[in-house]
Amino acid sequence: MVFSIQIQDNDNHYCLILEGFIMTGFKKKLLLSTLVSITLSGGLCAYANSPETVNKVHTLPVFHVYAHKLSNTSIVGTKIATDIKEIPASVTIINSDEMDRLGVYNLTDALEYNAGITVAPRGYDALYNFSSIRGFDVSHNNIVVNGMKTFGTTDNLVSPELYGIEQVEILRGPASVLYGSGSVSGTINLQTKHPKNENFGEAQIRFGNRNEKMTALDINRTDDTGTLYGRLTALWKTQNLFYDHTKQDRFYIAPSFTKEWTNTKLSVLPFYQKDKITGNAYLPRTRLETDPLYKILPDRFFIGISDWDKYNLTQNGIGYELEHKINKNTTFHQIANYRKSEIISHQTSGVYNPAESTLNRWGAMIESQAHSYGIDQYVQIHREKENYSRNTLFGFDMRYEKTFDKQSMRMLNAWKKSDLQNYVAGKPVPDDPDMIIPMDDLRYWSHEKGIYAMHTLKKNHLTFSTGIRKGFYEQHSDRDEQEFEQSAWTGQAGLIYEINTKWTPYFHWHNSFLPAMNFDKDKNMLKPTTGQEWELGIRYTPNPAVQVTASAFDLRRQNIHVPVPQTDYFTSIGEVTSQGLEIEGRAKLNDRLYVLGSYTYMNPRVTKHTNPSRIGKQPAGIAKQSINLRADAVIGKFEKGELTLGFGLRHIGKRMDETNTLHMGGVTLYDASLSFTQNRHALTLHARNIFNKKYVSNIEDVWGIPTGFAGQERTWVLSYMYKW
């Protein structure tokens, strides 16, 4: 909301003129050019018909009132900007306003208030964003950036810098027609900050617990013609991590520009991100009573070597987006990117031997480099007539990736029980002389390509969409000269019926295809993992300020590859299904209250397995029920400013380990925020898990010992932002 104020002075007669944008209740944003005349000292203000009476004009400075908005447009389900009401699937959009309001600083934070999503099923980690949708893991193939895949390895799960993200888009269910191979769970699209045709900027500083410090800058500029504009986003931060003697430093910068011609638009989007971790970068673990170390070591115990353990990750790349309007009905789109990832990792692990009262330790050394090239081009044909429209996409995409891993082991001395009991922070037990065990280096290449088509037909109140894709996947490894080729057809179909402008029920079906270079004990290639999804839902959108979606779903995943313990081969366990119900809503009820909430019930279970005892089991770390509620209310208004209080709760239901023998009880976590904004300034305090509830997010078998992954501890962040 922006206002300009003018005061006309006419011999003791004053006219107050307001111009600007306003949002009122549930009304759409309206551009008003309103002239309000106020006569002081009597008489009417004749500002229009009597210019001779106007002696002078005083223009007061422009001031800004920041208001949170809902986003209705996404590319994740169609590859082109589409209102979510026209997408026959469950879609959630988390824009920058909501991320600021909730204090979102990583991808886990962005996902945790949304229906059907389990965040951090393997614990809260500084580097990796493990999550699941509707009971199934979000694989590396299910995270895309600006509608394009990047890496096909876990490097893609490495925490992206959320300050460089404009919008997070979540599509539940498979999307293989548009994006190729992937899990049945869903797709997360990270829309980076693009240049805009306007001038603005912001500077931000942040302080938090665990000695967190951050500075950030976001500047956008455009030329006088409005055809060339650029944006610079940069950030530096440092913080201590979960374990003792661990620290993370991050630097991020993304300069970008956009050039427009009469029928063409080109955006160039480079970035650079550097993460440097000293100490243990592994997932934070919390010891259970069944762990021999339960009463010996604290959870934060660092078993490594302070000047050796590290995790250095460098990511950089460049991409472009090209849009050319061939004619009034036909548009050509092309998206391409190149990304490079380099990792140097020294990480110490250990396992306790109760019989000898020793902690045996070893270090894994990995140097990895990955390159990824991708391109996607498609033609969009749109025709529209009265009560009738159709939209067709024809496209071809391809992605090539090359990875080199150099690995070795470092054997370390064993800590005795007395060493552990007398542990002094910062003074780890001295090591024996190094013993390095080289391991086989690994090089592998993967190549994925596909041709696809989508067609959407809308007539009166009915919209029907369908899509098909032929995908090809190749992978080669120089370890034993293994290579394989696989291909698959995937398809989708959707139906939307507009009962009226408020209610839109929909139906959706889609299947998925996920190859992997895994072999059975006879060296036969395993069949690719496949999946299917059926979804029936309804949306309620009485106005742009309210979004509510309810959906029922059925997901099935077949031919799931799992490693056979103490061997170098895999087996296929059969089928896992997940049925459930989701309800999710967001609403700006008035100019003082913003609410969001979600409820999820699902019943994931193993329906086919090579081990009959596993049939009917619930997947590890997945809760059948979850509830999320959040409200932000303006509790005080001041001249050019306001005070906002936010409160939220996240309830995670009962979870189990893989064998369903160990149970993790339900937990409710509370979040809060307090924000004061005035003119261009904003001071905000965010806190998560304000009561510092200790809980276990999941339990896994680690070297024969049931190990719990720690849930998020209490975090708080104080930030100051200046906008212009």
Side-chain angles (χ1 to χ4, degrees):
M1 187 182 297
V2 179
F3 286 98
S4 67
I5 301 178
Q6 297 182 355
I7 299 179
Q8 295 182 355
D9 182 3
N10 176 26
D11 296 332
N12 297 323
H13 291 75
Y14 297 88
C15 300
L16 179 66
I17 304 174
L18 301 107
E19 300 179 314
F21 298 92
I22 66 171
M23 177 79 76
T24 57
F26 296 126
K27 302 295 183 181
K28 294 182 178 179
K29 182 183 291 186
L30 303 175
L31 174 62
L32 301 182
S33 182
T34 306
L35 302 180
V36 181
S37 302
I38 301 177
T39 303
L40 307 179
S41 302
L44 296 176
C45 183
Y47 54 86
N49 299 321
S50 304
E52 69 278 4
T53 63
V54 179
N55 297 327
K56 50 190 175 182
V57 176
H58 305 281
T59 301
L60 301 182
V62 173
F63 68 90
H64 302 260
V65 179
Y66 303 108
H68 299 290
K69 306 182 290 295
L70 296 181
S71 288
N72 300 306
T73 303
S74 168
I75 69 168
V76 70
T78 60
K79 285 198 175 182
I80 56 176
T82 305
D83 193 307
I84 60 175
K85 291 175 61 177
E86 300 176 8
I87 302 175
S90 180
V91 176
T92 297
I93 302 173
I94 309 161
N95 63 14
S96 57
D97 282 337
E98 182 165 316
M99 288 190 281
D100 288 342
R101 181 171 52 81
L102 298 179
V104 169
Y105 303 119
N106 55 58
L107 187 55
T108 298
D109 294 343
L111 300 177
E112 61 189 2
Y113 272 96
N114 300 284
I117 299 180
T118 301
V119 298
R122 295 186 59 193
Y124 282 77
D125 182 66
L127 283 174
Y128 297 96
N129 291 279
F130 296 102
S131 60
S132 69
I133 299 177
R134 293 178 171 176
F136 296 101
D137 290 342
V138 176
S139 74
H140 44 263
N141 283 303
N142 292 70
I143 300 178
V144 299
V145 179
N146 297 326
M148 276 285 294
K149 285 185 179 180
T150 54
F151 286 109
T153 66
T154 54
D155 290 316
N156 196 38
L157 295 175
V158 170
S159 178
E161 178 47 56
L162 258 289
Y163 190 74
I165 303 300
E166 191 82 51
Q167 185 165 283
V168 178
E169 303 170 357
I170 306 166
L171 172 68
R172 297 167 181 83
S176 289
V177 168
L178 292 178
Y179 303 107
S181 60
S183 171
V184 71
S185 57
T187 298
I188 299 173
N189 178 53
L190 306 178
Q191 202 69 11
T192 64
K193 290 181 176 179
H194 284 45
K196 299 180 180 180
N197 189 13
E198 56 183 305
N199 294 318
F200 63 84
E202 75 170 38
Q204 185 179 164
I205 59 174
R206 188 169 82 219
F207 302 93
N209 62 332
R210 292 188 291 166
N211 201 29
E212 180 180 354
K213 303 180 184 67
M214 186 276 289
T215 59
L217 185 68
D218 185 15
I219 300 176
N220 194 99
R221 289 292 182 268
T222 182
D223 68 351
D224 294 337
T225 65
T227 61
L228 178 64
Y229 33 101
R231 189 168 187 172
L232 175 65
T233 306
L235 173 143
W236 171 86
K237 72 175 181 181
T238 180
Q239 63 178 339
N240 296 331
L241 301 181
F242 184 86
Y243 290 104
D244 294 336
H245 313 298
T246 60
K247 179 183 177 183
Q248 180 184 19
D249 295 295
R250 170 174 290 182
F251 175 72
Y252 171 87
I253 187 169
S256 57
F257 73 88
T258 296
K259 174 64 178 176
E260 290 191 43
W261 295 271
T262 303
N263 297 313
T264 306
K265 181 178 180 180
L266 174 67
S267 295
V268 180
L269 308 163
F271 86 101
Y272 175 89
Q273 180 174 322
K274 173 74 173 182
D275 287 279
K276 181 180 179 182
I277 294 180
T278 56
N280 199 321
Y282 282 165
L283 294 166
R285 293 173 181 159
T286 183
R287 273 167 275 280
L288 308 172
E289 294 187 22
T290 54
D291 192 330
L293 291 174
Y294 179 75
K295 296 182 180 180
I296 301 177
L297 297 180
D299 286 344
R300 293 179 176 271
F301 186 82
F302 174 52
I303 67 172
I305 307 170
S306 299
D307 59 354
W308 184 79
D309 282 62
K310 63 182 178 181
Y311 191 103
N312 295 336
L313 169 66
T314 303
Q315 302 178 90
N316 58 80
I318 187 170
Y320 71 82
E321 298 175 5
L322 175 67
E323 179 181 307
H324 176 67
K325 196 170 185 60
I326 300 174
N327 53 50
K328 66 177 184 178
N329 297 320
T330 307
T331 305
F332 172 76
H333 301 260
Q334 188 176 78
I335 309 171
N337 62 32
Y338 163 76
R339 295 173 76 96
K340 179 182 178 182
S341 172
E342 292 182 290
I343 296 174
I344 300 176
S345 175
H346 295 174
Q347 295 292 290
T348 301
S349 301
V351 60
Y352 188 69
N353 186 341
E356 299 180 2
S357 297
T358 58
L359 180 69
N360 298 318
R361 299 184 300 152
W362 60 91
M365 297 181 290
I366 301 175
E367 295 183 11
S368 178
Q369 188 177 100
H371 301 263
S372 176
Y373 311 82
I375 189 168
D376 183 12
Q377 51 258 309
Y378 53 94
V379 175
Q380 174 195 1
I381 304 172
H382 180 77
R383 297 186 180 275
E384 190 165 351
K385 299 180 180 180
E386 186 178 359
N387 297 326
Y388 170 86
S389 68
R390 65 181 183 183
N391 194 77
T392 305
L393 259 66
F394 299 99
F396 170 79
D397 59 25
M398 60 181 296
R399 181 174 60 88
Y400 175 80
E401 182 179 338
K402 181 180 180 180
T403 302
F404 171 70
D405 289 340
K406 184 178 181 181
Q407 306 178 49
S408 59
M409 296 289 293
R410 180 185 183 187
M411 304 307 296
L412 307 172
N413 67 320
W415 280 358
K416 299 178 182 179
K417 186 175 182 179
S418 59
D419 297 327
L420 301 176
Q421 293 173 332
N422 296 321
Y423 165 75
V424 178
K427 296 182 179 180
V429 175
D431 297 312
D432 290 337
D434 290 347
M435 183 173 64
I436 306 297
I437 303 176
M439 300 176 66
D440 293 338
D441 297 337
L442 174 63
R443 294 178 175 87
Y444 64 89
W445 302 260
S446 63
H447 185 205
E448 183 176 7
K449 56 188 176 184
I451 185 169
Y452 60 91
M454 287 190 63
H455 184 70
T456 301
L457 176 64
K458 182 178 182 179
K459 188 173 183 180
N460 296 321
H461 299 283
L462 189 65
T463 301
F464 175 73
S465 65
T466 185
I468 191 170
R469 177 189 184 94
K470 178 66 172 181
F472 306 87
Y473 191 90
E474 303 175 30
Q475 187 167 319
H476 174 80
S477 170
D478 63 359
R479 180 175 294 175
D480 301 325
E481 295 299 319
Q482 296 175 340
E483 61 180 81
F484 80 109
E485 298 181 6
Q486 291 179 339
S487 64
W489 287 96
T490 54
Q492 68 177 67
L495 189 67
I496 302 174
Y497 181 75
E498 294 184 43
I499 299 176
N500 49 43
T501 58
K502 300 179 180 180
W503 297 94
T504 51
Y506 66 88
F507 168 79
H508 184 248
W509 170 85
H510 206 147
N511 65 347
S512 66
F513 162 74
L514 183 62
M517 193 170 67
N518 297 323
F519 299 84
D520 63 17
K521 63 181 180 179
D522 298 321
K523 300 299 181 182
N524 297 317
M525 181 71 64
L526 293 177
K527 294 181 180 180
T529 299
T530 58
Q532 299 85 36
E533 178 242 17
W534 294 264
E535 180 179 341
L536 181 65
I538 187 168
R539 290 192 181 90
Y540 176 66
T541 53
N543 53 72
V546 177
Q547 300 172 0
V548 181
T549 302
S551 60
F553 59 87
D554 184 306
L555 278 74
R556 299 177 182 271
R557 188 179 182 188
Q558 297 94 11
N559 299 323
I560 303 169
H561 301 177
V562 295
V564 178
Q566 301 179 348
T567 71
D568 60 351
Y569 58 86
F570 287 72
T571 187
S572 177
I573 65 170
E575 181 183 70
V576 178
T577 66
S578 179
Q579 296 89 27
L581 172 70
E582 296 170 346
I583 303 174
E584 181 177 278
R586 287 167 164 79
K588 191 176 189 300
L589 300 179
N590 51 50
D591 62 349
R592 287 179 173 266
L593 182 61
Y594 185 101
V595 297
L596 68 85
S598 67
Y599 170 76
T600 303
Y601 173 82
M602 58 183 169
N603 185 29
R605 63 191 185 279
V606 178
T607 52
K608 298 180 182 179
H609 203 286
T610 53
N611 182 356
S613 65
R614 296 293 305 279
I615 296 177
K617 301 294 186 182
Q618 182 176 325
I622 305 298
K624 288 188 175 183
Q625 295 192 73
S626 62
I627 302 173
N628 303 298
L629 297 171
R630 174 80 186 202
D632 291 83
V634 177
I635 59 176
K637 283 187 175 288
F638 313 93
E639 183 180 2
K640 302 181 183 179
E642 58 187 32
L643 183 66
T644 303
L645 176 65
F647 185 79
L649 68 85
R650 295 172 281 129
H651 175 76
I652 308 168
K654 184 177 68 174
R655 293 142 293 139
M656 302 180 184
D657 72 335
E658 188 175 358
T659 63
N660 288 194
T661 56
L662 296 176
H663 295 241
M664 296 159 282
V667 61
T668 302
L669 308 175
Y670 299 93
D671 309 323
S673 65
L674 185 65
S675 177
F676 176 73
T677 59
Q678 187 174 35
N679 200 359
R680 304 173 185 266
H681 309 270
L683 182 66
T684 306
L685 176 64
H686 291 288
R688 274 182 162 76
N689 190 7
I690 57 179
F691 300 112
N692 203 26
K693 179 72 173 181
K694 304 294 184 182
Y695 68 102
V696 177
S697 66
N698 197 7
I699 298 175
E700 287 188 4
D701 194 69
V702 181
W703 301 300
I705 300 174
T707 302
F709 292 104
Q712 185 186 39
E713 63 180 10
R714 176 170 57 214
T715 60
W716 62 264
V717 171
L718 178 65
S719 65
Y720 166 74
M721 182 186 300
Y722 177 76
K723 291 190 176 185
W724 65 90

